Amino acid sequence: MKQLNSNQCFGGQQQQFEHDSQVLNCKMRFSIFLPPQALESNKVPVVYWLSGLTCTDENFVQKAGAQRMAAELGIAIVAPDTSPRGDDVADDDAYDLGKGAGFYLNATQEPWAKHYQMYDYIAYELPALIEAHFPVTDKRAISGHSMGGHGALTIGLRNAPRFKSISAFSPIVSPLHCPWGHKALTAYLGDDQALWVKYDAVELMKKIKDGTSHLPPIKISQGLADNFLEEQLKPHLLENAANEVKYPFEINVHSGYDHSYFFIASFIDEHLRFHAQYLLK
């Protein structure tokens, strides 16, 4: 790993690193906030934050204001990039496909398959790297926004023993039922929608058996002034599926809030306290 930046922040360190990813076949960047407890030789749990379309590892770090509460609670936050990067990485002219739009899945179609293996990177390679090189425990939670909310939900649901809790702001809950999802999943996975279901939180929720134990609880925050709410996000689909299987699920809707980081900054402390219940006990 190569350290790119380090800044003192609320008694901790906000750092940025570059490393070679074997899974993605390219160099990747991630940002990590280490709270003061981690700098005092105490290992701390980690929240993995997945950002949305067009973002990098820096958006959350600079806009969400999460460091203050993370420092108070003693939780590290890891924010990876949203896709592979590099001159030889496939891309598209549109903002919702290619670089900055990895959708946290393992692509099977060309030209994407060589690099776009974001599911394996987030679920396995990156946590292994973080736990090998930083003062953190193997207690993990996962959160995200929009496309990153989709990633947090699907990765968290498919890896329940690995993640203690899941949260999301304005998530894409069902790529099978929205334009963003249809475009991305067709490009990355092909036309067979039977292959799409493992990257659809609603479909994953429907497969959970009623009363299954050790499920990571889910918390969702959604702004009612979000201009993507009706066409792209459709959180009611996940709420209905969760209620059917009696999943530990809560959704909080907020009048007047939109899809921006102003919304995330307003409620990120609430989400971190939610994760702390399961990471720190």
Side-chain angles (χ1 to χ4, degrees), residues 78-112:
V78 173
D81 203 347
T82 54
S83 77
R85 305 281 180 173
D87 293 341
D88 63 335
V89 173
D91 198 11
D92 189 88
D93 291 337
Y95 76 96
D96 53 358
L97 190 68
K99 294 178 185 177
F103 267 83
Y104 304 103
L105 51 72
N106 289 340
T108 60
Q109 302 297 302
E110 298 302 333
W112 313 104

Side-chain angles (χ1 to χ4, degrees), residues 21-39:
S21 169
Q22 295 182 357
V23 168
L24 301 177
N25 296 301
C26 65
K27 289 186 180 297
M28 286 293 286
R29 290 191 320 186
F30 67 87
S31 293
I32 181 170
F33 175 69
L34 294 172
Q37 296 87 337
L39 305 181

Side-chain angles (χ1 to χ4, degrees), residues 38-75:
L39 305 181
E40 296 164 0
S41 301
N42 297 309
K43 288 190 174 183
V44 298
V46 183
V47 171
Y48 288 85
W49 171 269
L50 308 184
S51 291
L53 290 167
T54 75
C55 290
T56 69
D57 62 300
E58 296 181 327
N59 296 73
F60 177 81
V61 168
Q62 297 173 357
K63 295 180 178 181
Q67 292 92 341
R68 182 192 297 271
M69 182 55 65
E72 179 180 321
L73 294 170
I75 293 174

Side-chain angles (χ1 to χ4, degrees), residues 176-192:
L176 273 74
H177 295 95
C178 74
W180 278 339
H182 269 257
K183 180 176 181 177
L185 270 60
T186 299
Y188 295 139
L189 302 175
D191 294 325
D192 184 1

Side-chain angles (χ1 to χ4, degrees), residues 150-170:
H150 142 77
L153 290 166
T154 54
I155 293 171
L157 285 169
R158 289 176 59 185
N159 295 273
R162 293 178 59 79
F163 295 96
K164 302 293 186 185
S165 52
I166 305 166
S167 78
F169 288 84
S170 315

